[in-house]
Amino acid sequence: MELNIEKSHEKNIDNILFLDFETDKKGIFFCATYKLGSTFKQVILNEDLRPFAVEKGLECMEPLEFMIKIKKLVKNCILAAYSEAELSTIKNVLSSANIIVPSIRYCNMRIAAKKYINSNPVRKKEFEGLPPFLKKADNYQKRKMRWSLASVARLFPVEIPKAYHPGQTSQRFKYTINALQKKQGDYSKLTITQKSKATKALNHNWFDVEVLPVMYTKIFEENSKHIDRSIKLIE
């Protein structure tokens, strides 16, 4: 059951858990980044990337183990992500392990961003006047990317990494996985290019979470109703 939340909940941003997963279309996990209060953490969710995780000083966990951790964290806070993909991922992984999915107060930041942009004629015109985020993409990709996180982020005070490229993240991780397998998991034997692929993918995921609190704060300060109306209680 989904219930619209009419009033603000835990307005303190320290009580919002911002989350983003990196997976491919087949549901293979690579990593996750989350921010809750002063905690900003990345976790590798693919055993084939463990040597990379060790090199970067990151935890390497099974996806189910991570979902159980998130399940505990969201008991007393709002979960926020861009679109409902993260929510569906959590529910699918927990359900597949016959674990009860908890009630989750979920803030869809994509909805909040749309309300923020479309409610202001000047801002809406500015957004419509922006060039496609990926200039070399075909028309279908350009339309698909229009309301992507990176495209919308251009209206907020953030700097998008130069190597940020939607659609290449899973490919970059897979490239590094393939290289590690050929080197028997020895990260030190990878070339600079092979190492940089995964690092760029990791940085991409970091930005996808780093930008969310900035967006949340900006939108909330201007009109808290845009946030309130983007929160649902998922049961």
Side-chain angles (χ1 to χ4, degrees):
M1 179 172 67
E2 296 185 0
L3 299 174
N4 285 324
I5 304 300
E6 297 295 338
K7 296 182 180 180
S8 298
H9 286 264
E10 290 84 3
K11 295 181 180 179
N12 188 339
I13 198 169
D14 288 340
N15 207 45
I16 312 294
L17 192 157
F18 298 97
L19 174 69
D20 185 70
F21 293 114
E22 291 299 341
T23 66
D24 68 4
K25 294 180 179 180
K26 295 181 180 179
I28 296 175
F29 285 87
F30 299 107
C31 74
T33 300
Y34 71 91
K35 183 183 187 304
L36 178 59
S38 61
T39 300
F40 205 140
K41 193 168 185 179
Q42 286 191 294
V43 179
I44 297 299
L45 301 177
N46 189 306
E47 186 61 30
D48 290 332
L49 285 168
R50 181 174 289 277
F52 175 68
V54 172
E55 176 67 23
K56 296 295 183 179
L58 303 176
E59 281 188 81
C60 186
M61 305 169 66
E62 290 294 326
L64 177 57
E65 182 184 3
F66 181 74
M67 300 307 170
I68 292 173
K69 179 177 182 177
I70 293 297
K71 177 186 175 184
K72 294 177 180 178
L73 290 175
V74 298
K75 282 184 178 180
N76 301 307
C77 65
I78 293 172
L79 177 61
Y82 200 78
S83 84
E84 293 195 356
E86 275 61 36
L87 177 63
S88 297
T89 298
I90 293 170
K91 292 169 69 174
N92 290 340
V93 173
L94 291 177
S95 297
S96 65
N98 295 316
I99 296 175
I100 296 175
V101 179
S103 296
I104 298 176
R105 286 166 292 170
Y106 193 83
C107 180
N108 186 331
M109 291 298 299
R110 183 187 178 101
I111 292 177
K114 280 190 172 184
K115 293 180 183 295
Y116 171 76
I117 292 171
N118 291 330
S119 64
N120 184 306
V122 175
R123 186 179 298 125
K124 182 178 180 181
K125 185 176 181 179
E126 179 188 358
F127 181 67
E128 291 174 346
L130 290 173
F133 185 76
L134 295 179
K135 296 180 181 180
K136 295 183 179 181
D138 58 34
N139 289 333
Y140 170 75
Q141 289 177 312
K142 288 177 181 178
R143 288 194 300 271
K144 186 178 180 182
M145 283 292 299
R146 192 63 184 162
W147 286 99
S148 68
L149 178 58
S151 179
V152 170
R154 292 179 291 178
L155 292 184
F156 293 85
V158 295
E159 183 176 346
I160 301 174
K162 292 182 180 179
Y164 189 98
H165 197 296
Q168 290 190 2
T169 312
S170 62
Q171 296 176 22
R172 286 169 168 171
F173 276 125
K174 288 177 181 179
Y175 183 91
T176 302
I177 287 174
N178 184 56
L180 283 169
Q181 290 174 339
K182 290 181 178 179
K183 300 298 182 181
Q184 291 74 50
D186 190 340
Y187 184 83
S188 66
K189 293 183 179 180
L190 267 56
T191 65
I192 293 176
T193 298
Q194 291 168 337
K195 292 177 179 178
S196 69
K197 291 285 187 179
T199 299
K200 288 178 180 177
L202 200 63
N203 291 341
H204 179 117
N205 184 237
W206 180 277
F207 174 80
D208 283 351
V209 173
E210 182 180 43
V211 68
L212 293 179
V214 177
M215 292 173 61
Y216 181 95
T217 300
K218 187 75 173 178
I219 295 171
F220 190 88
E221 288 178 347
E222 180 173 304
N223 190 336
S224 63
K225 290 182 179 179
H226 294 330
I227 294 293
D228 298 339
R229 294 170 181 169
S230 303
I231 296 174
K232 289 183 178 181
L233 177 63
I234 312 297
E235 293 186 318

